[in-house]
Amino acid sequence: MEFVSLALTFVALWLSSTAANTILDNIFQLGLANVIEQFNTPTPQHNAAYDFIIVGGGAAGCTLANRLSENPNWSVVLLEAGGVENIAHRIPITAGFLQGTHSNWGYKSVPQKLACFGMNNNECALPRGKILGGTSSINYMIYNRGNRRDYDGWAAAGSKGWSYDEVLPYFLKSENAQLSGLEWSPYHNHSGPLNVEDVGYRTQFSHAFVLGAQQAGHPHTDYNGESQVGVSYVQATTQNGRRHSAYRAFIRPVRRLRRNLSIFTFAQVLRVLVDPQTKVAYGVEFLHQKKQYIFKAHKEVILSAGAFNSPQLLMLSGIGPADNLNAIGIPVIQELPVGKRMYDHMSHIGPVFLTNTTGQTTYPTSITLSDIKRFFLFGDRNTRLSSIGGVECLAFVKIPSSQRPPDWPDVELITVLGGMASDDGTGLKEGGNIRQDLYDQLYLPLQLARQEHFTVLIMDFHPRSVGRLWLHNRDPLRWPIIDPKYFSNEEDIEHLLEGIKAAIRIGETPAMKSIGARLYDKPVPGCENYLFGSDDYWRCSIRTLSYTLHHQVATCRMGSPTDKTTVVDPQLKVHGIRKLRVVDTSIIPFPPTAHTNAPAFMIGEKAADLIRGEWEANFWLQK
Ligand SMILES: Cc1cc2nc3c(=O)[nH]c(=O)nc-3n(C[C@H](O)[C@H](O)[C@H](O)COP(=O)(O)OP(=O)(O)OC[C@H]3O[C@@H](n4cnc5c(N)ncnc54)[C@H](O)[C@@H]3O)c2cc1C
Ligand SMILES: *[C@@H]1O[C@H](CO)[C@@H](O)[C@H](O)[C@H]1NC(C)=O
Ligand SMILES: *[C@@H]1O[C@H](CO)[C@@H](O)[C@H](O)[C@H]1NC(C)=O
Ligand SMILES: *[C@@H]1O[C@H](CO)[C@@H](O)[C@H](O)[C@H]1NC(C)=O
Ligand SMILES: CC(=O)N[C@H]1CO[C@H](CO)[C@@H](O)[C@@H]1O
């Protein structure tokens, strides 16, 4: 008897331990999660009505769904086209592979005339998350908010209420920071739902780069703190070395608890229902398991479908540029410049540095059984599996030709513990739509030699090239056409060139020399006619190894209703339409000095307060 109770106690203790939870969680996540989701997702009730309909469970949409459903008097429904995460999404090192799965919409740009020469048919890959958690479930997990001047600029350009001092509280509200050395920083919160932490696995490259950058004159900084300019190890949206997506942070903890929050996965919205006479949005039409349904909204419809799909849905609903809508036979309800402007952070893959280190570049074969055991069985956060797709350090850099104030960086240097070659020509090459012949010439030699190397990606924060998105027909299941027009403004090339030079200077410092760092000087295919390392060589390389970091913004630009380039007002309401808002990165008016995931969370938090303020204040008026 005593033995049995002792054994039961042991079992109970084991079940409550972290290790057991990790193991059980892993078994569940091993693909089972999505199968259960398929059967478990409730059947929608045709014509059901909710207070708020949120379209798209991405970074902003999940945040908003959580915050709005805090009020038990409100019924909230979240409609997401994709399913739920499985184990692959949880392992940070596999970030690059997720683009090859069903959790990516898999868009491509139209063939580019001035960029992406190294890609099949000059088409740049434009991945986007199609899953509960959205792009935050397939991205590289870099946590980066942006510069004070970005937000002050939004406010000055007509977005009242969005200055840095007004948005900082919303960044803080989400954040649960576990960052060593920043325990007392006023720029970090330690009790929000979204985990932000240091990456537990760091290579010799990262230490050499952080030191070398300082030797080259870049101060050590917290790029989410007082001053952005300088170098730092990356801050990641992971928890104990596993991806912490919008789903994990904002939906999973409340999903079973809040009966006023309904979630439908595999539910693709086809259009917003807008009364053409009164211009009031009153519901949505969507497909769920191949059947069509309508949901009605008592209070509001909110589009959080991301920078490509929110503008697409507006246009499908009769809100957009008249020429495009007329051409494809969609009656115009409200003429607005939807999709007419799109900015993105186009980058350059490289320079690549060879080193004399051992075992620092992560090739698939460098992941040991012990790494896997430690990660899966013991929840260890210090193995290679916790590296966020290989990203290690960020440097926020001023360039010599800068026209901006000294505290506003121009380019970013992003170091990666390997590069194109380090997954043996699989996920990264496929995900980037990179040509096989280019891979074979440039990267295969590194792969075959198991050569130690790291890559510095160079990103232009403030591109001047302006792209566009439009529809080729009225089929909601077809892609929108996306033409980012990368590098149509020559200045963008020059900024990247100056960034490359900054990286090379860091490569020449004593810290970098101590690991034997030297430029990989195999010419980029198509650029052999230029002298390696000359300005024209790098310009050619930039147009060939063009690689977007997927920060498309401004397709439903926010600003004053009198500004003819904008689609939503500072309350995020669509101009001229009632009961319809857009809440995601498509509203960002200018390319920010940031990767766009943290801003998406902030936009979700701030929108929740705007909506709450309005409907709770009007409580008595509604009755
Ligand atoms: C590969 C990659 C790596 C990145 N790495 C980083 C990084 O390291 N750090 C960083 O800060 N940023 C990164 N980004 C960018 C960042 O993740 C995104 O900008 C941000 O997550 C976008 O948030 P969002 O809420 O605007 O849209 P999303 O998160 O894209 O959410 C949109 C959601 O709407 C759903 N949806 C779309 N259409 C419909 C429809 N018709 N019906 C129903 N649902 C629909 C989608 O499936 C998706 O879930 C990366 C992006 C990519 C693609
Ligand atoms: C919910 O409704 C009740 C009754 O109408 C009201 O007293 C309460 O304040 C409301 N709660 C919130 C959070 O609005
Ligand atoms: C930290 O986050 C919690 C939870 O979201 C929030 O209540 C609190 O106000 C935040 N603190 C700061 C300083 O913003
Ligand atoms: C690195 O290795 C190369 C090739 O073996 C050698 O020529 C070079 O001297 C080494 N550099 C350092 C700094 O060790
Ligand atoms: C409006 C609505 O559906 N409210 C429900 C929200 O969930 C709580 C329980 O969590 C219910 O009591 C409410 O009726």
Side-chain angles (χ1 to χ4, degrees), residues 319-350:
I319 301 164
D323 54 354
N324 191 183
L325 297 187
N326 288 332
I328 59 174
I330 294 179
V332 180
I333 295 178
Q334 180 73 20
E335 181 165 10
L336 285 173
V338 176
K340 278 223 165 181
R341 206 178 263 252
M342 184 178 91
Y343 300 102
D344 193 5
H345 281 155
M346 188 33 110
S347 310
H348 174 250
I349 314 169

Side-chain angles (χ1 to χ4, degrees), residues 167-419:
V167 300
L168 181 59
Y170 293 107
F171 282 112
L172 292 174
K173 190 173 181 188
S174 294
E175 188 191 24
N176 180 20
Q178 316 286 325
L179 299 164
S180 91
L182 298 174
E183 290 80 359
W184 308 108
S185 163
Y187 290 92
H188 294 280
N189 189 9
H190 310 282
S191 52
L194 176 70
N195 216 71
V196 177
E197 65 183 14
D198 296 312
V199 177
Y201 179 79
R202 286 176 181 166
T203 64
Q204 291 166 16
F205 307 139
S206 72
H207 304 310
F209 187 83
V210 167
L211 192 61
Q214 290 174 81
Q215 289 167 346
H218 306 277
H220 189 267
T221 191
D222 165 15
Y223 61 80
N224 287 318
E226 177 67 28
S227 164
Q228 240 190 340
V229 178
V231 67
S232 141
Y233 296 99
V234 71
Q235 301 177 12
T237 45
T238 56
Q239 187 181 46
N240 299 321
R242 287 145 184 267
R243 179 190 295 274
H244 211 223
S245 64
Y247 162 70
R248 279 269 158 176
F250 285 96
I251 296 299
R252 202 166 175 266
V254 302
R255 188 172 184 182
R256 309 272 168 234
L257 301 177
R258 292 193 189 154
R259 275 185 289 137
N260 57 326
L261 171 62
S262 311
I263 298 175
F264 294 91
T265 46
F266 310 107
Q268 182 165 349
V269 173
L270 306 174
R271 64 190 183 106
V272 181
L273 302 170
V274 184
D275 185 315
Q277 259 74 52
T278 60
K279 299 196 180 188
V280 176
Y282 62 91
V284 298
E285 206 172 79
F286 66 100
L287 267 185
H288 180 262
Q289 323 263 39
K290 299 193 177 123
K291 274 169 76 182
Q292 204 158 319
Y293 299 87
I294 283 175
F295 276 171
K296 303 258 173 75
H298 290 308
K299 292 191 166 64
E300 293 191 22
V301 175
I302 300 154
L303 295 182
S304 297
F308 298 144
N309 296 98
S310 284
Q312 178 195 28
L313 283 169
L314 284 180
M315 287 189 255
L316 289 169
S317 316
I319 301 164
D323 54 354
N324 191 183
L325 297 187
N326 288 332
I328 59 174
I330 294 179
V332 180
I333 295 178
Q334 180 73 20
E335 181 165 10
L336 285 173
V338 176
K340 278 223 165 181
R341 206 178 263 252
M342 184 178 91
Y343 300 102
D344 193 5
H345 281 155
M346 188 33 110
S347 310
H348 174 250
I349 314 169
V352 173
F353 292 90
L354 309 182
T355 62
N356 286 5
T357 49
T358 42
Q360 301 301 298
T361 294
T362 290
Y363 287 99
T365 43
S366 16
I367 294 172
T368 62
L369 208 59
S370 153
D371 286 337
I372 294 172
K373 250 176 22 203
R374 280 160 57 204
F375 183 88
F376 286 109
L377 300 185
F378 307 115
D380 193 333
R381 51 183 294 262
N382 303 320
T383 74
R384 288 176 193 271
L385 300 183
S386 290
S387 168
I388 53 171
V391 173
E392 299 207 279
C393 312
L394 307 182
F396 291 75
V397 172
K398 293 297 301 173
I399 53 175
S401 73
S402 178
Q403 312 253 304
R404 288 167 195 273
D407 57 355
W408 203 358
D410 304 292
V411 296
E412 186 182 45
L413 317 185
I414 303 155
T415 76
V416 179
L417 49 67

